[in-house]
Amino acid sequence: MDINKIRADFPILKEEVYGKPLVYFDNGATTQKPLQVIDCINHFHRHKNSSIHRGVHFLSDQATEEYEKAREAVRSFINASYAHEVIFTSGTTGSINGVAFSFGEKYVHENDEIVISEMEHHANIVPWQMLCERKNARLKIIPFDDKGLLNIEQFEKLLNEKTRIIAITHASNTLATINPVKEIIKIAHRHNIPVLVDGAQSVPHLPVDVQDMDCDFFVFSGHKIYGPTGIGVLYGKEKWLNEIPPFQGGGDMVEKVTFEKTTYNQLPYRFEAGTTNYIGAICLIKALEYVQSIGLLEIQEHEHNLLSYATKRLDDLGYITIYGRAPQKTSLISFNINDIHHYDAGMVLDKMGIAMRTGTHCAQPVMQHYGIDGNIRASFGLYNTTEEIDLLIEGIKKVKTMFG
Ligand code: PLP
């Protein structure tokens, strides 16, 4: 990987904050965008903008064609069987809420159970809790150990004839654990239970093959994989998408509307009510192409090196607690500087130009597991370097001198 060439593709990396070069370590929250994505958004608005699926005029036809090409590109990226198994949504949150509502309406009833894990992002907790409240159903939780590994034995014990669906993160946004989703899905399917996999934190870091994984639903956000905000994906097996009801009503998702009855459009349109973020979808492809042009395996190796380097340097300091020590991790480290509040640390590091997330990272149950009220999260992307990690270590030493 030619890191200098890659960095040159991301204009924001040349910015300074407080007169210091920006060190961007908040990729778990959102990634920066390469010129290819920025130019795509600009170019489309300047030259091609028109509503899709609606007009017979040239611009509308052209936009529709590009949108459907985007769907096919996502299909290929995650190796879905059919393009109509790819639904464009507003993001991971939108996708999970859609499935929780729609699947829940049809299949979840009083006293039924839904299984999630202790390490989920709030986006994969709250929609299921809301469903449980609506239906008087129960949420069951797979625990993780102090290293950040799910207890698979315990998981299997949670399953029974009342379990309707399992929703699990592929990679934790706080512990970085890459979960054994294939194994989890195999166990679930032995009990005829479908599985939704939250891929928000896996898709940017490792190759994903939904057929090989055999998941029933897979969701992710464009903005976490160097693409635009407000666009995301809900992959569903054709069988499920044909069985569950649409989660939103409106234009484009219908076949025939009368005041007596409405019939719905075919897949994938029945799940895409209203004017979608078609420019987001079209320009997401530039991000996927960008990642593919570097190679996901190369990115994985580069990020793994960053993770190992940062872990060693933090451990060497002797006063850092790292949360999450799974053998398979994405390039993200949650930690605290012993006896120093994460907000104090975050504020000093910010003044040094280092952007990191401090707090609970929308995963409060993870913090409750460790009995802390938050921590600091450094999450690395394909453009980060070991020199930037050195700056972080210098920053931490400064924090320690100021507050220690
Ligand atoms: N799931 C995980 C694991 C995440 O890390 C995030 C965002 O941080 C989400 C879901 C929600 O993603 P979005 O805010 O893009 O909908």
Side-chain angles (χ1 to χ4, degrees):
M1 276 176 63
D2 182 345
I3 200 75
N4 290 329
K5 186 166 168 292
I6 288 172
R7 287 181 70 83
D9 287 332
F10 291 82
I12 203 168
L13 297 180
K14 295 189 195 81
E15 290 293 314
E16 292 193 339
V17 290
Y18 310 112
K20 309 265 173 18
L22 170 67
V23 173
Y24 188 76
F25 283 162
D26 198 14
N27 296 285
T30 198
T31 51
Q32 300 302 346
K33 318 303 168 200
L35 279 167
Q36 289 82 340
V37 171
I38 298 167
D39 289 350
C40 173
I41 295 167
N42 190 318
H43 181 82
F44 206 90
H45 280 106
R46 277 174 176 268
H47 300 289
K48 296 185 167 172
N49 184 42
S50 180
S51 185
I52 53 164
H53 296 150
R54 299 258 197 322
V56 288
H57 59 83
F58 177 82
L59 284 182
S60 177
D61 267 355
Q62 184 178 242
T64 302
E65 202 179 312
E66 290 206 27
Y67 183 70
E68 292 308 327
K69 268 194 202 151
R71 197 187 305 280
E72 167 54 28
V74 172
R75 182 210 66 73
S76 159
F77 194 77
I78 59 172
N79 195 32
S81 302
Y82 310 106
H84 60 249
E85 292 177 323
V86 172
I87 312 293
F88 285 116
T89 65
S90 58
T92 306
T93 304
S95 299
I96 298 174
N97 273 279
V99 176
F101 180 81
S102 176
F103 183 95
E105 276 312 290
K106 184 150 178 189
Y107 292 108
V108 178
H109 305 288
E110 194 168 347
N111 292 328
D112 281 346
E113 295 178 358
I114 292 158
V115 173
I116 62 171
S117 88
E118 194 187 0
M119 66 171 78
E120 300 307 314
H121 184 282
H122 297 163
N124 204 25
I125 302 175
V126 185
W128 303 111
Q129 266 175 336
M130 291 162 79
L131 169 63
C132 286
E133 271 174 33
R134 278 200 309 277
K135 297 287 188 140
N136 214 2
R138 277 193 295 266
L139 210 53
K140 296 279 166 153
I141 312 297
I142 316 166
F144 66 80
D145 66 17
D146 281 353
K147 275 189 171 170
L149 289 168
L150 288 180
N151 185 330
I152 300 297
E153 250 175 51
Q154 186 69 22
F155 158 64
E156 197 158 5
K157 285 192 192 135
L158 290 178
L159 307 182
N160 59 51
E161 71 289 347
K162 289 188 216 145
T163 316
R164 290 290 158 264
I165 190 166
I166 296 157
I168 189 96
T169 195
H170 193 178
S172 158
N173 77 323
T174 306
L175 305 167
T177 312
I178 301 173
N179 285 319
V181 283
K182 231 177 129 169
E183 188 189 344
I184 289 170
I185 291 164
K186 215 180 228 167
I187 295 170
H189 285 176
R190 276 210 301 270
H191 296 259
N192 286 324
I193 303 164
V195 181
L196 176 144
V197 175
D198 175 353
Q201 295 291 342
S202 63
V203 152
H205 304 292
L206 41 127
V208 165
D209 181 331
V210 291
Q211 289 189 71
D212 180 56
M213 199 188 288
D214 201 23
C215 53
D216 300 276
F217 299 99
F218 186 88
V219 300
F220 68 94
S221 299
H223 70 100
K224 292 191 197 281
I225 182 165
Y226 312 101
T229 46
I231 187 73
V233 168
L234 160 60
Y235 156 82
K237 277 185 183 164
E238 185 188 48
K239 159 185 137 52
W240 284 115
L241 293 179
N242 274 325
E243 280 186 25
I244 62 176
F247 36 79
Q248 284 192 314
D252 228 21
M253 54 76 74
V254 293
E255 184 187 54
K256 183 159 179 139
V257 179
T258 66
F259 287 121
E260 288 70 40
K261 186 172 169 59
T262 290
T263 52
Y264 302 132
N265 206 339
Q266 64 197 28
L267 288 179
Y269 313 111
R270 65 201 293 257
F271 289 104
E272 292 181 355
T275 303
T276 59
N277 182 0
Y278 53 92
I279 302 185
I282 289 162
C283 298
L284 169 62
I285 298 327
K286 298 292 170 195
L288 300 185
E289 283 171 2
Y290 186 83
V291 163
Q292 281 170 320
S293 73
I294 299 169
L296 265 160
L297 292 175
E298 284 75 7
I299 292 171
Q300 215 178 354
E301 191 187 334
H302 171 71
E303 292 180 345
H304 180 74
N305 291 340
L306 293 176
L307 177 72
S308 306
Y309 183 77
T311 305
K312 174 155 191 343
R313 292 233 47 201
L314 286 170
D315 279 340
D316 284 350
L317 289 175
Y319 48 79
I320 302 288
T321 304
I322 292 181
Y323 303 93
R325 296 270 189 179
Q328 307 281 337
K329 286 178 67 171
T330 57
S331 52
L332 172 160
I333 306 185
S334 285
F335 63 94
N336 267 324
I337 308 171
N338 295 351
D339 305 324
I340 297 173
H341 198 272
H342 50 275
Y343 283 136
D344 290 334
M347 264 158 54
V348 174
L349 292 165
D350 172 51
K351 293 289 181 296
M352 299 177 73
I354 304 171
M356 294 202 298
R357 181 92 179 249
T358 47
T360 60
H361 323 310
C362 294
Q364 288 179 18
V366 174
M367 304 302 152
Q368 287 152 16
H369 177 107
Y370 291 105
I372 54 177
D373 67 351
N375 66 26
I376 310 166
R377 183 180 75 181
S379 48
F380 310 123
L382 57 84
Y383 35 62
N384 288 125
T385 64
T386 50
E387 289 77 18
E388 289 179 309
I389 292 169
D390 291 340
L391 290 173
L392 169 62
I393 299 296
E394 288 317 303
I396 290 173
K397 286 180 183 165
K398 188 166 172 189
V399 171
K400 183 73 179 164
T401 316
M402 285 172 75
F403 295 96

